Amino acid sequence: MNSSGKSAVVVVLITALGGFTGAWIAWNSEEPTSHYISIKARQYAFEPSVIRVNRGDTLHIKLISLDVVHGFFLEGYDLDAEIFAHQKSFNIRHPSKGKEWSEVNEFTLITNRRGKFRYRCSHTCGSMHPFMQGELIVQPNTPFHASVGGTLGLFVGMLWTFAKRRKTRLFDNGEMSAPPDQSRRAGNRQAAPH
Amino acid sequence: MSEFVTETPEIEPKTVIRKRPRPKKEPTPVKGFRLDLFDWIPGLKKFVRLRSFQFLVILPNLFVFHILFIAGIFGTPVGNKNIMIVFIWILWWFILIAVMVPFASRIWCAICPMPFFGDWLQRRALIKVRSGKTKGIKNKMFGRNLRWPKRLSNIWLQNITFLTMCTFSAHLVTRPIVTVGVLGSMVLLATFLALIYRMRTFCNYICPVSGFLSLYAMTATVELRSKDTDVCLKCKTKGCRTGSEDGWACPWFVYMGKLDRNNYCSLCMECVKSCPNDNIALNLRPFASDTQIRGYDEAWKGFIMLALAMAYSIILLGPSGTIKDWANVAETHAWGGFAIYTLILWSVALVIVPGIFYGCILLTRRLAKATHIPMKEVFLGYSYLLVPLGLLAWIAFSVPLLFVNGSYIISVVSDPLGWGWDIFGTADFPWTPLWPEYLVFPQIALLLIGLFYALNHSYQIGERLFGSSEAALKGSIPMGVFSIGITLAFLRFFTG
């Protein structure tokens, strides 16, 4: 492998190490708890717009629409709901299991996946409908912390490459004596009998 | 002393301040591999040399454009049920930013239907070339063919038009009639300007899309260049710029002998036809090969694009209803909020991000001990970092647009106007987001790729500017911190 190939491998490794470190630092193991959340939908927002919980928590969720018919599609949890204006009950289904709706007043969800999951309106509700969404953030948010660690790792890795390149340039320009192993090799070559 | 006596009164000696002569712009030397696609793809050169080439590639687009306009005017006002909104702001946008720009440069400009009518009026021909003479051009052109004012010969107007358009983006991307109004105005203006000013003045200096295409095309993996610049220098006719009986003069006034960036080449391929020496190559090249920003207008385009990507990530992909209400002023009438939103958007794009960048440049100059190098040179040199950072952030932003809302494409092709038709039997196709929970991973990867290119170029730019690897290393620290800050901000929007 040539020098730039080796540098690339080292940069990738340092980035990955940064990613693992970021995920590890953010790791927590808090006891699961229960949350009772009432989510209100209106054109073009959910209230609360951000829900932060820990992995393993149990969420008891009620959905209410304040104006028109809205949907509630929760990414990563195979859940879709249809919320009618000013009604206590709403329809719910698991999209992967069929199109049939069940009418409920509340549903329960155990947050078994880490990360950020958006809940989106799945029922056309007006002009800004495609952008109506909220966020369920399940801590530890491993993808986020790993990516932050990876970003810092990439910076460190790149600085290391630049420092290495700088050393090579200085050596090429004769501004720096050869590294010990190279001097030795050069010396050996000179000393070799002809 | 002179012995000659003249009657001319003595002139008071004045201090004459001479401007430093501008160094002659020589093309930047080519770096990295190049592969001429004309040699590698059989028939490609023959195809682009067809006189009907540009007409053939614009024609289908023009047809689709008309359908979209009809749908925009007569179809349902509900954006996600109207083919105009779904095709333009989901499909076209994603293909443009994630496929065309990085892999095919400004190919969109070659097939864009907007300047079609203006070109037609100027040339009075759809396919054939008219020989003749028009103000230094060896083609017969119609209209007044005036020169665009020199003071406006930059992309500042494009920057302002784009920022203005994007201030109303919540309306533009959700309401068909607004899209019709904006695109229709662009067609009218392009046609009107073609009658007064020479060539593609609208594309060159006003089109809001052209501005960011010019910036991000610098990263593209293809380029149209001369094979040998010496041949161009010796060429007496300069057919690429002035036209010939085989091809129209370059609509962008580009002379191929000095073309060393993708910014202002629309890949219309006229030069391939008009070059008398068969000296034009369509090269495949490494990503992000053009690395020189040549004016504050281009640098500010980079800031504006970065700020807009952030703004859209908050407004369109974020959870805050209040900010959406501010941006969606036509419906909410929250004028106070809209004023705050506009003020923040314009300040961030034009002052705050450039200000932070300027601070990093000051630090870079100090760390690199390069205070003797003009500030402008360092500022513009490093402003190239905004290009890979911005483009990859825009692609990351666009990923969920397609994967979450792409299923609307399937339903609108059957019912393009939202009138209850079912042409292909897919009108009732439900909204089906594709792997939405996994989209953060390609988004993270894209942002890291952008950061990698920005960091790598920060060192190379430092070496080029300061001529020392030591200074380049030191200089890359503040610029790296800036790039990391931008990346972390986007990571926060997308995953945090």
Side-chain angles (χ1 to χ4, degrees):
Chain A
M1 195 186 288
N2 62 11
S3 142
S4 58
K6 276 182 197 164
S7 296
V9 170
V10 172
V11 169
V12 170
L13 285 177
I14 296 176
T15 307
L17 186 68
F20 283 120
T21 312
W24 180 72
I25 289 171
W27 195 266
N28 64 7
S29 52
E30 287 187 22
E31 284 296 305
T33 55
S34 290
H35 304 266
Y36 293 84
I37 303 164
S38 177
I39 299 177
K40 294 181 181 103
R42 65 155 176 101
Q43 280 176 319
Y44 305 100
F46 291 100
E47 193 61 47
S49 57
V50 179
I51 300 169
R52 285 178 196 276
V53 294
N54 288 316
R55 188 179 180 230
D57 285 358
T58 304
L59 313 186
H60 303 273
I61 296 178
K62 286 181 177 174
L63 299 172
I64 303 151
S65 166
L66 301 179
D67 39 36
V68 295
V69 182
H70 289 286
F72 180 88
F73 176 91
L74 180 59
E75 309 176 344
Y77 284 89
D78 191 27
L79 200 109
D80 192 11
E82 205 175 29
I83 325 163
F84 300 98
H86 310 295
Q87 283 188 21
K88 280 190 176 175
S89 63
F90 53 91
N91 292 336
I92 193 166
R93 68 175 177 179
H94 298 290
S96 67
K97 291 177 185 164
K99 292 177 179 177
E100 293 304 307
W101 296 99
S102 311
E103 192 178 333
V104 294
N105 288 327
E106 181 186 291
F107 68 89
T108 305
L109 178 81
I110 297 170
T111 52
N112 51 10
R113 300 180 69 167
R114 291 182 291 264
K116 178 162 162 175
F117 304 92
R118 287 166 175 92
Y119 38 93
R120 302 170 188 275
C121 181
S122 52
H123 195 288
T124 301
C125 62
S127 60
M128 292 276 281
H129 153 73
F131 306 113
M132 177 175 166
Q133 54 192 292
E135 294 172 353
L136 171 68
I137 297 168
V138 182
Q139 305 282 10
N141 185 352
T142 317
F144 174 62
H145 293 112
S147 61
V148 171
T151 301
L152 299 176
L154 179 62
F155 184 43
V156 173
M158 293 301 285
L159 281 181
W160 174 82
T161 329
F162 301 154
K164 208 175 147 216
R165 266 194 243 172
R166 178 184 136 260
K167 217 172 172 182
T168 317
R169 296 276 155 85
L170 289 177
F171 176 63
D172 290 347
N173 297 342
E175 293 169 34
M176 191 176 149
S177 57
D181 56 332
Q182 286 187 24
S183 329
R184 229 186 352 261
R185 262 183 263 142
N188 289 346
R189 268 204 303 275
Q190 281 170 5
H194 294 286
Chain B
M1 281 290 286
S2 167
E3 291 175 7
F4 297 103
V5 179
T6 61
E7 287 178 13
T8 321
E10 235 180 70
I11 299 168
E12 285 276 319
K14 281 184 184 172
T15 318
V16 178
I17 302 168
R18 286 184 188 279
K19 276 191 179 175
R20 198 171 57 154
R22 275 190 176 184
K24 262 193 167 180
K25 279 182 190 169
E26 290 301 328
T28 316
V30 171
K31 264 187 178 180
F33 80 91
R34 293 293 186 276
L35 194 74
D36 188 353
L37 293 175
F38 286 149
D39 291 340
W40 280 81
I41 302 175
L44 180 62
K45 193 169 189 175
K46 205 173 169 186
F47 177 56
V48 304
R49 289 189 84 157
L50 283 177
R51 265 287 5 121
S52 54
F53 165 74
Q54 211 181 358
F55 180 68
L56 289 177
V57 293
I58 289 181
L59 195 62
N61 224 3
L62 194 67
F63 177 70
V64 174
F65 203 64
H66 275 87
I67 292 178
L68 297 183
F69 258 67
I70 292 167
I73 295 166
F74 300 107
T76 171
V78 180
N80 56 309
K81 303 269 181 196
N82 190 306
I83 194 168
M84 176 168 230
I85 291 293
V86 173
F87 263 48
I88 292 182
W89 299 121
I90 297 176
L91 186 61
W92 171 80
W93 172 256
F94 184 83
I95 294 173
L96 179 76
I97 200 77
V99 183
M100 286 189 193
V101 172
F103 299 109
S105 188
R106 304 191 61 160
I107 191 77
W108 170 254
C109 298
I111 62 176
C112 175
M114 287 194 204
F116 176 83
F117 300 103
D119 280 357
W120 189 13
L121 292 171
Q122 267 184 354
R123 297 173 178 178
R124 292 201 193 160
L126 290 176
I127 295 171
K128 71 171 184 180
V129 190
R130 287 179 191 277
S131 297
K133 280 195 173 177
T134 314
K135 297 187 180 174
I137 293 166
K138 290 173 194 149
N139 298 126
K140 173 78 182 146
M141 308 287 285
F142 296 88
R144 295 199 64 196
N145 283 297
L146 298 180
R147 278 172 187 267
W148 183 247
K150 207 171 179 187
R151 208 184 305 164
L152 298 176
S153 298
N154 47 52
I155 64 167
W156 280 115
L157 266 180
Q158 288 173 332
N159 289 347
I160 299 304
T161 51
F162 192 67
L163 195 51
T164 308
M165 196 173 91
C166 291
T167 307
F168 296 92
S169 58
H171 307 86
L172 181 67
V173 303
T174 57
R175 291 159 175 86
I177 201 69
V178 179
T179 300
V180 167
V182 171
L183 299 189
S185 312
M186 285 163 70
V187 174
L188 289 176
L189 192 59
T191 311
F192 175 70
L193 288 177
L195 289 172
I196 298 172
Y197 294 102
R198 61 184 188 173
M199 303 298 182
R200 286 202 177 177
T201 295
F202 174 79
C203 307
N204 232 324
Y205 304 115
I206 295 169
C207 175
V209 179
S210 170
F212 75 80
L213 289 183
S214 75
L215 187 78
Y216 290 152
M218 295 173 81
T219 62
T221 53
V222 295
E223 63 180 16
L224 199 68
R225 295 287 188 276
S226 67
K227 289 179 195 167
D228 182 352
T229 47
D230 283 342
V231 174
C232 295
L233 293 174
K234 286 172 195 160
C235 174
K236 286 180 182 169
T237 60
K238 307 276 190 278
C240 54
R241 190 186 157 95
T242 58
S244 71
E245 56 193 25
D246 296 319
W248 293 97
C250 174
W252 295 70
F253 267 106
V254 168
Y255 163 51
M256 291 305 285
K258 289 205 170 169
L259 180 69
D260 59 358
R261 303 191 306 163
N262 276 357
N263 298 50
Y264 305 106
C265 167
S266 71
L267 297 179
C268 69
M269 305 289 174
E270 281 301 322
C271 56
V272 183
K273 299 173 197 108
S274 58
C275 176
N277 304 307
D278 192 18
N279 191 34
I280 309 293
L282 181 67
N283 292 324
L284 195 66
R285 64 177 196 176
F287 183 75
S289 290
D290 302 337
T291 57
Q292 290 193 15
I293 298 282
R294 290 193 178 143
Y296 285 122
D297 54 337
E298 292 178 0
W300 250 261
K301 172 54 82 182
F303 295 126
I304 290 170
M305 291 306 292
L306 211 50
L308 285 173
M310 286 182 191
Y312 282 178
S313 301
I314 295 169
I315 300 162
L316 301 181
L317 303 187
S320 169
T322 310
I323 297 175
K324 285 186 214 296
D325 287 346
W326 289 355
N328 188 22
V329 67
E331 199 170 337
T332 59
H333 304 290
W335 292 103
F338 181 71
I340 295 170
Y341 150 74
T342 307
L343 187 71
I344 293 174
L345 181 67
W346 284 61
S347 313
V348 169
L350 299 176
V351 183
I352 296 174
V353 179
I356 297 170
F357 186 82
Y358 181 80
C360 292
I361 291 292
L362 283 178
L363 211 58
T364 294
R365 273 174 94 214
R366 191 165 293 180
L367 280 178
K369 290 176 186 158
T371 40
H372 58 285
I373 299 176
M375 188 66 194
K376 184 179 178 182
E377 208 174 308
V378 183
F379 189 95
L380 292 181
Y382 277 109
S383 61
Y384 176 71
L385 306 188
L386 304 167
V387 177
L389 273 179
L391 176 65
L392 272 296
W394 270 100
I395 299 175
F397 161 81
S398 307
V399 166
L401 288 185
L402 181 74
F403 284 81
V404 172
N405 293 321
S407 56
Y408 289 132
I409 298 167
I410 300 171
S411 57
V412 297
V413 289
S414 276
D415 187 11
L417 288 90
W419 282 358
W421 298 352
D422 197 1
I423 302 168
F424 303 108
T426 57
D428 291 328
F429 190 84
W431 173 73
T432 315
L434 284 180
W435 315 296
E437 66 270 33
Y438 298 111
L439 296 181
V440 292
F441 300 109
Q443 285 181 306
I444 292 168
L446 287 162
L447 291 173
L448 289 183
I449 292 170
L451 178 64
F452 166 79
Y453 276 98
L455 292 175
N456 200 28
H457 278 105
S458 74
Y459 181 78
Q460 290 174 9
I461 291 164
E463 274 195 326
R464 191 177 74 208
L465 286 169
F466 311 131
S468 138
S469 45
E470 178 86 28
L473 175 65
K474 286 178 180 166
S476 63
I477 295 171
M479 299 324 295
V481 171
F482 175 84
S483 308
I484 282 183
I486 297 290
T487 307
L488 291 180
F490 280 106
L491 284 173
R492 171 73 184 77
F493 300 143
F494 298 147
T495 71

